[in-house]
Amino acid sequence: MAPMPLPLSSLLKYTECLQRARGVCNVFRDLPHGSFRLRPWRRNFSRAISRGVGQPWSQHQPRAPNCAASVCSSSSSGEGVTERLWSVYNETKRQTQGISTHEVDPDTIFANNEMSLQDIEIYGFDYDYTLAFYSSHLHTLIFNIARDLLISNHRYPEGLRKYEYIPDFAVRGLHYDVQKALLMKIDAFHYIQLGTVYRGLHPVPDEEVIAMYEGCHVPLEIMSDFYGKSSHGHTMKQFMDIFSLPEMTLLLCVNDYFMKHNIDYEPVHLYKDVKETIRDVHVKGIMYRAVEADIDKYICYGEQSHAVLKKLSAHGKKMFLITNSPFDFVDRGMSYIVGKDWRDLFDVVIVQADKPGFFNDRRKPFRRVTDKGALLWDRIHRLEKGQIYKQGNLYEFLRLTGWRGSKVLYFGDHIYSDLADLTLKHGWRTGAIIPELRKEIKIMNTPEFVHMMSWLQALTGLIEQMQVHWDPASQAVVEEWIKERDAMRSQTKDIFNAQFGSLFRAYHNPTYFSRRLSRFADIYMASISCLLNYDLRHIFFPRRTPLQHESPYWLEYNPSGCSASSPAPKDQSRV
């Protein structure tokens, strides 16, 4: 089994320990111990560092002093206090520069919930961005078609044709305030991340955002509904689909044009018009026909989906496909990825399923589709291998197949439409496909990012300890540290995406996207091909990270030094 990739959370907690127990206290070991009183958790920190990692608690060493309490008590001179604070700062920064960590493997499968592949008998898949991955040309195609439809069908200004799709401007998981025409990132606690609010193609000043929302918190009643939609009084729309990136960019571009030309417009109408044109690109088959006509340009073949399906089939696993895409489009893509006999790998194939309605609406029956796309009228008494079915609903699917509960694992890229109902209502195991993981992990593996995050966490620890001193000299130093921390937080955002930062973090908090991902996905990965690295008896264990009231120095290692979620050696994973 491969060595454990040290997670960022471990690095940060280690840095915090280093800062609090070594970086601070070692500088002041000569100070009298009687001038302070250790809090219990700090006492444990000091013991942990004094005895060395991995040694038993019984091997007690002399306690390190509480340096925050001693900095000011040891000197009444403001100049002396300042010198000592900066001495602590410099020593802590020096020690964090030596921190290194193992790289995280982008092909790792990450676990939110413990799950054994040995228990999985049936594997289900979405199609788009699960089995089929698309090139960046597809987003440009969707943007251009929708932009032109706005002009031709909704009489929007011709000047909009000058706008082109901007790759990597937006990220998935953002919220759009329909009434205010603002695109923003919101964290797991419903707080807006300042600096990530955009009207058009330009950021909105923090002061204006705070004035509009009377702070940074977004009340529950105006947040998006369960499926991320703006409906029933909810004014926020959350964009969770990878296909939504062109939609977000088009909204920003049209807003930008109207503002530049001082055109008075109703934001609600704009949102609905853009939403309708994006829907037409899909529903009217415009995108499907374009992709089928130039499949080499739009579909990426290198995700090894065929190898995954063959591996599962060789181990006797049942497989099914449930997608919202039409049969002709799926057949063309799967024939390109797998071959003309792709249907032989699946026990059930369902197209135009209309998820998430498929998981909730009991009224829609299945309808058989011929190879040429003709709809048949016969009643469906069983779902047969080799046949194609349209629409239907999950309740009928469960009745006809008997595939219930935790023996089923379903993969999809849309956390709401693909996964939420399955895990909440039906007890299926779920796997989220998050292609953005590859890019973010590569950034996290760079020495620059590791050093930046190490120092940011260490600096935060310094501020936390030294803020208790209210003398002017101490406060002046702490204020400088706070300014440096704020600047570094912005840098850690920009390194992922200059406008909106990481898909998973809003500074130190998880994003709203991360919160939903952790709730609705048992496991998540960058690509379905990650399954090739694991034996089908593998057990995925989520790392036990400490809660806020638990000891911050929680070892996330098993005795062998390996991670339970690390890929198996390549030569064993395909057995």
Side-chain angles (χ1 to χ4, degrees), residues 28-44:
F28 297 98
R29 283 189 185 276
D30 57 331
L31 295 178
H33 288 202
S35 62
F36 57 86
R37 179 168 169 267
L38 278 175
R39 295 181 185 175
W41 61 269
R42 286 178 180 155
R43 186 180 303 123
N44 290 340

Side-chain angles (χ1 to χ4, degrees), residues 278-298:
I278 292 290
R279 184 192 64 208
D280 288 346
V281 172
H282 294 269
V283 173
K284 293 185 177 180
I286 305 172
M287 182 197 78
Y288 301 134
R289 290 191 294 272
V291 172
E292 291 175 41
D294 197 355
I295 201 162
D296 291 310
K297 179 179 180 180
Y298 294 109

Side-chain angles (χ1 to χ4, degrees), residues 33-97:
H33 288 202
S35 62
F36 57 86
R37 179 168 169 267
L38 278 175
R39 295 181 185 175
W41 61 269
R42 286 178 180 155
R43 186 180 303 123
N44 290 340
F45 268 143
S46 302
R47 292 176 182 173
I49 299 299
S50 296
R51 76 179 196 281
V53 175
Q55 297 182 25
W57 285 105
S58 59
Q59 298 179 13
H60 296 302
Q61 300 292 334
R63 289 203 307 256
N66 183 331
C67 307
S70 301
V71 167
C72 294
S73 64
S74 62
S75 174
S76 58
S77 167
E79 183 177 348
V81 169
T82 300
E83 290 178 356
R84 287 179 178 272
L85 285 172
W86 284 112
S87 178
V88 172
Y89 171 96
N90 291 327
E91 174 62 13
T92 304
K93 191 169 189 178
R94 182 189 67 79
Q95 295 190 31
T96 60
Q97 289 174 350

Side-chain angles (χ1 to χ4, degrees), residues 475-494:
Q475 282 298 300
V477 174
V478 172
E479 283 299 321
E480 287 193 48
W481 294 351
I482 291 174
K483 290 178 182 178
E484 180 181 354
R485 177 178 181 265
D486 289 343
M488 290 181 65
R489 277 155 54 96
S490 295
Q491 292 175 24
T492 59
K493 174 185 78 72
D494 295 344

Side-chain angles (χ1 to χ4, degrees), residues 87-188:
S87 178
V88 172
Y89 171 96
N90 291 327
E91 174 62 13
T92 304
K93 191 169 189 178
R94 182 189 67 79
Q95 295 190 31
T96 60
Q97 289 174 350
I99 291 179
S100 61
T101 179
H102 296 292
E103 291 188 355
V104 177
D105 185 351
D107 288 323
T108 299
I109 294 179
F110 303 92
N112 291 321
N113 192 19
E114 184 174 327
M115 186 187 76
S116 173
L117 291 182
Q118 193 165 2
D119 297 333
I120 305 300
E121 301 174 9
I122 306 107
Y123 286 78
F125 302 90
D126 182 30
Y127 173 68
D128 297 303
Y129 287 107
T130 300
L131 293 176
F133 283 78
Y134 299 99
S135 69
S136 58
H137 297 296
L138 184 62
H139 289 166
T140 300
L141 173 71
I142 295 171
F143 178 92
N144 290 341
I145 296 173
R147 177 202 61 202
D148 294 345
L149 287 175
L150 277 179
I151 297 169
S152 60
N153 294 358
H154 296 273
R155 298 190 298 177
Y156 275 65
E158 279 287 336
L160 288 173
R161 293 193 195 275
K162 296 180 180 179
Y163 285 87
E164 300 290 342
Y165 179 65
I166 310 172
D168 300 323
F169 189 91
V171 298
R172 194 156 53 127
L174 300 178
H175 280 79
Y176 184 76
D177 190 321
V178 174
Q179 295 183 345
K180 295 181 174 66
L182 299 176
L183 188 66
M184 68 192 73
K185 187 163 75 171
I186 295 177
D187 71 13

Side-chain angles (χ1 to χ4, degrees), residues 107-323:
D107 288 323
T108 299
I109 294 179
F110 303 92
N112 291 321
N113 192 19
E114 184 174 327
M115 186 187 76
S116 173
L117 291 182
Q118 193 165 2
D119 297 333
I120 305 300
E121 301 174 9
I122 306 107
Y123 286 78
F125 302 90
D126 182 30
Y127 173 68
D128 297 303
Y129 287 107
T130 300
L131 293 176
F133 283 78
Y134 299 99
S135 69
S136 58
H137 297 296
L138 184 62
H139 289 166
T140 300
L141 173 71
I142 295 171
F143 178 92
N144 290 341
I145 296 173
R147 177 202 61 202
D148 294 345
L149 287 175
L150 277 179
I151 297 169
S152 60
N153 294 358
H154 296 273
R155 298 190 298 177
Y156 275 65
E158 279 287 336
L160 288 173
R161 293 193 195 275
K162 296 180 180 179
Y163 285 87
E164 300 290 342
Y165 179 65
I166 310 172
D168 300 323
F169 189 91
V171 298
R172 194 156 53 127
L174 300 178
H175 280 79
Y176 184 76
D177 190 321
V178 174
Q179 295 183 345
K180 295 181 174 66
L182 299 176
L183 188 66
M184 68 192 73
K185 187 163 75 171
I186 295 177
D187 71 13
F189 301 96
H190 293 198
Y191 280 87
I192 300 167
Q193 181 180 358
L194 295 177
T196 69
V197 181
Y198 275 72
R199 180 187 291 117
L201 298 174
H202 301 282
V204 179
D206 294 347
E207 298 78 10
E208 186 177 342
V209 174
I210 293 171
M212 281 190 290
Y213 291 95
E214 298 181 351
C216 297
H217 185 260
V218 180
L220 179 63
E221 59 267 20
I222 70 171
M223 283 290 287
S224 53
D225 67 10
F226 180 79
Y227 295 106
K229 297 180 180 179
S230 140
S231 60
H232 306 296
H234 300 279
T235 62
M236 290 282 188
K237 155 72 177 179
Q238 188 180 18
F239 291 102
M240 297 292 279
D241 191 355
I242 302 176
F243 279 129
S244 66
L245 292 172
E247 183 176 358
M248 286 186 275
T249 308
L250 184 57
L251 279 168
L252 294 176
C253 288
V254 179
N255 275 303
D256 185 74
Y257 180 88
F258 284 160
M259 289 187 297
K260 278 185 177 179
H261 293 82
N262 296 315
I263 297 174
D264 188 24
Y265 68 100
E266 173 53 59
V268 175
H269 297 332
L270 168 60
Y271 168 74
K272 290 182 176 179
D273 290 343
V274 170
K275 178 182 176 182
E276 182 178 329
T277 57
I278 292 290
R279 184 192 64 208
D280 288 346
V281 172
H282 294 269
V283 173
K284 293 185 177 180
I286 305 172
M287 182 197 78
Y288 301 134
R289 290 191 294 272
V291 172
E292 291 175 41
D294 197 355
I295 201 162
D296 291 310
K297 179 179 180 180
Y298 294 109
I299 290 188
C300 299
Y301 183 70
E303 290 299 335
Q304 298 178 290
S305 297
H306 188 194
V308 173
L309 298 175
K310 286 177 63 178
K311 176 180 178 178
L312 296 176
S313 178
H315 282 79
K317 303 298 182 181
K318 299 287 187 181
M319 288 184 286
F320 63 92
L321 176 69
I322 302 178
T323 175

Side-chain angles (χ1 to χ4, degrees), residues 364-366 380 383 392-401:
K364 294 182 179 179
F366 285 109
I380 304 302
L383 299 176
N393 65 84
L394 184 65
Y395 298 94
E396 189 70 2
F397 179 88
L398 297 176
R399 186 183 70 82
L400 294 173
T401 64

